[in-house]
Amino acid sequence: MIAFTLAEVATLLGARRASWPDDHDTVAVTAVVTDSREAGPGALYLARRGEQLDGADFAPAAVEAGAVATVATRPLDVPTLVVDDVQAALVAIARAVRGRAVATVVGITGSVGKTTTKDLLATVAGATVPTVAARGSYNNEVGVPLTVCRTDADTAVLVAELGARGRGHIAELATWLRPDVAVVTIVAGAHLELFGSLDEVAVAKAELVASLGPDGVAVLNVDDHRVAAMAHDAPGRVVRVSVDDAAADVHARDVRLDGASRASFTAVLPGGRSAPVALPITGRHHVLNALLALAAADAVGVDPVAGAAALSRATVSGGRGRVLATADGGILVDDSYNANPTSVLAALGALADLQVTGRRHAVLGVMAEIGPTHEADHRRVGAAAAEVVDALVVVGAAAAGLAAGARAARPDLAVSVVDDAEAAVAALGAVPHGDAVLVKGSRVAGLERLVDLVAGPPHPDDPPSGEAPR
């Protein structure tokens, strides 16, 4: 983090000091945390209050771990900056860090693929310049400022991920994030329970594009007509990205899949350049994510040709298409982080593309927050699964439509409906060499527990976390 003294932090927050040692004002703040377990020397601990826990209760542990002070809404027995609103304090600090940073800021949004695109861009940019990217899915009013607060004085590229649960959310974040480049992946049926329609989702995502200044660059997936239309919201340059359309500024040529459904292709880039790409994650749909990452890298002045070579070593956030081994020697595709109809159909396509000598299995959980089409969408996806798998395990009563759709499409298919991830392990049974299993569901399904139970130990020849052997 770009360092501030505690006196500077107190001034920008308008905070009063409590339990304050002499000369403490000159102490440097070099990190900001909202979890006391992440506190260390130089950290400022922001004691947020949740529905069940009050962060102020953990302030002594944070200070014992090395935190120099706490930000809280009441005086504590440790050095405290007392404010009216801890969340507003977090944003104020992030705004100040952004003001001092020299980094070029990339904001990424979309219903599907934003985290993987963020991870791939971090790999591409990080191959040549100091890069900071959001951890996991840090994409909300807490995660985005925490990401910004990790920016150092020498950070050249900052990659932020922005989510939304309604109109105005992205616009509010963008007022102080001030992105230089905006990337939009796909508008899909995620969180329709909150948005109401795909058009409303598009309006919310377009706020990121509209937040750009006249020198900003919008990187848009023109294979999605709603995203393509956001070019009208862009004050500056637009880079159009497509998997198949050779007229787009950035596109793919000669896409091929290996036996684990990992894509290799040639990325065609602006200025007549091209670069070979080999991805370590399963699924043809990740070609788009890689192209968006390369286009964004080019927009911030990073050599995308050099960065493309690093993509074969990319590490993606957990639960997003990692290829693992099962304890019985089969293939496990861990796509357990989240799910909506678009992403599940893409994952089933990746499973179909896997070259296996045995059976294909899928363990699918509920697709949450998709609104009034919940039952119809689950039946539709279940029917699609029946065309791919030899056995289907559905987890949770809320996902029962998946089983109904699969059985209607293929009455002879082996379908089990179970209550939780632990029961799914028993229903799944062994996944031996030659077999493959896809695990996918919304976070409420808790299918990451199944991955932990089914995955075998790392092979000594395997690459480090998140990478798949080629």
Side-chain angles (χ1 to χ4, degrees), residues 153-255:
D154 64 345
T155 301
V157 177
L158 171 65
V159 187
E161 177 182 334
L162 292 86
R165 300 178 74 80
R167 284 197 189 198
H169 291 179
I170 289 176
E172 182 176 352
L173 291 170
T175 57
W176 60 265
L177 179 64
R178 294 184 285 112
D180 302 293
V181 177
V183 180
V184 186
T185 60
I186 296 171
V187 171
H191 309 305
L192 282 184
E193 187 175 274
L194 303 172
F195 285 99
S197 71
L198 288 175
D199 289 339
E200 191 68 14
V201 175
V203 169
K205 303 302 183 184
E207 292 171 358
L208 181 62
V209 177
S211 75
L212 293 169
D215 295 327
V217 181
V219 177
L220 304 178
N221 165 29
V222 295
D223 291 338
D224 182 323
H225 73 275
R226 290 183 175 86
V227 178
M230 294 178 194
H232 300 296
D233 299 297
R237 184 162 67 95
V238 175
V239 177
R240 293 167 171 83
V241 178
S242 170
V243 174
D244 300 312
D245 185 356
D249 301 304
V250 176
H251 59 274
R253 188 174 66 220
D254 302 327
V255 178

Side-chain angles (χ1 to χ4, degrees), residues 78 96 100 112 130 149 154 176 187 201 206 252 290 296 354 391 393-394 413 428:
V78 296
R100 291 189 181 182
V112 179
C149 286
D154 64 345
W176 60 265
V187 171
V201 175
L354 286 175
V393 179
V394 174
L413 180 66
L428 177 64

Side-chain angles (χ1 to χ4, degrees), residues 280-281 312-316 322-324 458-469:
I281 44 181
S312 64
R313 305 185 300 275
T315 299
V316 300
R322 296 184 305 163
V323 180
L324 308 171
H459 189 279
D461 295 331
D462 283 350
S465 75
E467 299 181 22

